[in-house]
Amino acid sequence: MSEADRERWNTRYAAGEYGERRWPSDFLTESIERLPRGRALDLACGLGRNARFLAENGWQVDAVDVSDVALRKAAALAPNADIRWIACDLERGYTPPADYDLVVNVRYVNLPLLTNIRSALRPGGALLVEQHLALPGLADDVVGPRNPRFRVAPAALRKVAEGLRIEVDEEGLMQDPDGETAALARLLAFRV
């Protein structure tokens, strides 16, 4: 990601974009009872909605994002949470500072990063991913990016999870908590 991209995200967060999205991912909340407790990594955390949810439910969280503006706002929303906010350009790669019981990646597409980050999972650790899905002929009322670069192809997450035990692998049109329809790919897989 270029410095221009970082500034673009900083500008968006400074202007209040995504501020209304305070709820965690439905997929994360639906999966919570199956997830191993301990240390969690939230990749491309934005304003920290998933990181906050994890911390509220007992995880120690490392939350990573390219936008220092988003991270400052996220930290202000959870001043006493067990979250370490880390500014990092994930497009340039990321070497985790620890091994994790859980890695969460919601709606930030970087499949090579996900393939590499699997090695940061402890045995029995979980990888939970939710991405916008590329489907032909998406209707205008389906939310998310129009650029296919920011969507995953069908079965792409399954390939990322090769060698892991896949528990959830679903794709299709789904309802977001705000009532919007999204084309999504969801994966929950465990290191054996």
Side-chain angles (χ1 to χ4, degrees), residues 84-152:
R84 181 168 48 166
W85 304 101
I86 302 169
C88 179
D89 182 349
L90 294 170
E91 295 291 316
R92 294 186 179 173
Y94 180 67
T95 302
D99 289 334
Y100 295 97
D101 300 289
L102 173 63
V103 174
V104 174
N105 176 221
V106 175
R107 302 186 190 192
Y108 162 69
V109 177
N110 186 331
L111 298 180
L113 175 67
L114 283 180
T115 300
N116 293 334
I117 211 80
R118 294 178 337 166
S119 65
L121 285 173
R122 291 182 177 139
L127 175 64
L128 183 141
V129 184
E130 178 183 271
Q131 298 294 345
H132 288 288
L133 179 65
L135 291 174
L138 279 176
D140 287 340
D141 63 343
V142 173
V143 298
R146 293 294 165 209
N147 185 336
R149 182 175 150 226
F150 302 113
R151 290 182 174 271
V152 296

Side-chain angles (χ1 to χ4, degrees), residues 13-29:
Y13 283 116
E17 286 190 41
Y18 304 105
E20 74 285 351
R21 298 197 95 189
R22 299 212 178 214
W23 60 85
S25 158
D26 269 359
F27 185 40
L28 178 59
T29 60

Side-chain angles (χ1 to χ4, degrees), residues 30-69:
E30 292 164 7
S31 303
I32 190 128
E33 295 304 321
R34 295 185 275 187
L35 302 176
R37 296 292 202 260
R39 292 190 58 80
L41 174 63
D42 183 3
L43 295 168
C45 68
L47 294 172
R49 62 193 179 113
N50 295 315
R52 287 192 311 274
F53 175 76
L54 290 169
E56 290 164 3
N57 284 279
W59 277 269
Q60 296 173 309
V61 182
D62 288 343
V64 182
D65 200 90
V66 69
S67 171
D68 55 310
V69 171

